[in-house]
Amino acid sequence: MAPTPKDYDNIYKRLQAPISKVYDCGKKCAPYNNGEPVCCTTGHAIPIVEHSEYKLLKSRTDMWSPFKPKSAADRAEIADLKGSDCRAVECKGARHCERDNRSMACRTFPFFPYFSPDGEMVGLATYWSFEGQCWVISNLTIVEQPFIDDMMASHDLLFAADEDWRKTYRSQSATMRGVYSRKGKRFPVIGRDGKYFWVLPKSGGKMIPAKKAELMELRSGFPNFGE
Ligand code: SF4
Ligand code: SF4
């Protein structure tokens, strides 16, 4: 069963901490994206919400509306949503953002809960397709413990409301292992307690500790617009 609007209200209450209190990451990526944060522009990321989450948002604000495709690529991207529990939406843009009325996707981007192959939610991984565009992905050491705690607790609430979401993220985690194994590259995971790990390629998901200095080397990957 899909989460109810009330479930999403509870999830929002548990998803309050910013990624970092020190850095406003939108100011880091926007200069490379016509002055707009990358994850707040539908040209880069079309927000997807469940119908029940949309119902909650509509009861709280007029900031959100159904997404209107502007191209064939947009239409292709949202084609799979027809008849599903989810829909594509758009907000009024970063200048009109209401922090309390951001969607779950806004609050969690660029992270998703990472699951080990044996099904343990061990921490946070990032949506790899935004590497080089999202400044946070290249600066993982800025992530603070309250954000990690909120991510873990809010996803526990989501899974309690709808177990299918756990399957979704287990599958997403497996896909990420496959993508990086094919590249022959390791990828970073931030553990529940804030420790850093590498997930090694072609290893069945083996995790080894990562040094902060190693993660800081990822900074050289930002920005890579146009590459
Ligand atoms: S999360 Fe990433 S893409 Fe979004 S505003 Fe921050 S740096 Fe930019
Ligand atoms: S609601 Fe705010 S955070 Fe979410 S996409 Fe819109 S501007 Fe960005």
Side-chain angles (χ1 to χ4, degrees), residues 129-173:
S129 62
F130 288 90
E131 271 176 24
Q133 295 180 300
C134 169
W135 177 83
V136 171
I137 296 177
S138 301
N139 289 272
L140 291 178
T141 57
I142 67 151
V143 178
E144 295 172 0
Q145 190 63 47
F147 175 77
I148 302 168
D149 294 343
D150 280 11
M151 282 291 285
M152 295 293 104
S154 59
H155 281 88
D156 279 337
L157 290 175
L158 181 68
F159 305 148
D162 183 356
E163 266 300 313
D164 281 352
W165 276 108
R166 188 191 308 271
K167 285 186 209 146
T168 299
Y169 288 117
R170 283 191 71 170
S171 159
Q172 174 84 1
S173 302

Side-chain angles (χ1 to χ4, degrees), residues 25-45 94-95 130 132-134 222-223 225:
C25 62
K27 292 204 171 110
K28 302 287 189 181
C29 70
Y32 302 97
N33 186 44
N34 301 319
E36 299 289 334
V38 168
C39 61
C40 300
T41 43
T42 53
H44 290 291
R95 281 180 198 84
F130 288 90
Q133 295 180 300
C134 169
F222 179 87
F225 285 93

Side-chain angles (χ1 to χ4, degrees), residues 173-216:
S173 302
T175 302
M176 189 166 192
R177 286 190 291 274
V179 166
Y180 279 80
S181 286
R182 283 192 289 283
K183 290 183 187 179
K185 282 177 68 180
R186 62 189 184 179
F187 64 87
V189 162
I190 304 178
R192 284 174 163 271
D193 56 2
K195 293 198 176 95
Y196 308 126
F197 297 93
W198 293 115
V199 178
L200 302 179
K202 298 176 186 156
S203 69
K206 184 175 178 196
M207 293 171 70
I208 60 167
K211 293 191 181 75
K212 187 172 181 180
E214 290 174 331
L215 260 67
M216 290 178 86

Side-chain angles (χ1 to χ4, degrees), residues 21-140:
K21 287 199 183 73
V22 180
Y23 297 96
D24 179 351
C25 62
K27 292 204 171 110
K28 302 287 189 181
C29 70
Y32 302 97
N33 186 44
N34 301 319
E36 299 289 334
V38 168
C39 61
C40 300
T41 43
T42 53
H44 290 291
I46 301 171
I48 308 292
V49 295
E50 286 200 282
H51 295 298
S52 53
E53 184 178 6
Y54 188 58
K55 198 169 168 187
L56 171 68
L57 289 168
K58 290 302 282 179
S59 74
R60 292 163 64 129
T61 178
D62 66 355
M63 185 173 74
W64 292 97
S65 55
F67 172 67
K68 293 189 193 72
K70 290 154 200 79
S71 64
D74 284 351
R75 275 186 286 282
E77 197 167 331
I78 63 170
D80 285 353
L81 297 176
K82 219 171 186 176
S84 79
D85 287 339
C86 294
R87 64 183 304 161
V89 294
E90 58 191 324
C91 70
K92 291 183 175 175
R95 281 180 198 84
H96 306 281
C97 187
E98 298 165 16
R99 185 173 164 75
D100 283 344
N101 292 321
R102 291 167 304 145
S103 70
M104 187 170 182
C106 303
R107 293 164 195 246
T108 57
F109 189 88
F111 296 98
F112 69 88
Y114 178 75
F115 282 83
S116 62
D118 60 3
E120 187 190 348
M121 184 165 67
V122 291
L124 303 178
T126 57
Y127 289 107
W128 62 91
S129 62
F130 288 90
E131 271 176 24
Q133 295 180 300
C134 169
W135 177 83
V136 171
I137 296 177
S138 301
N139 289 272
L140 291 178

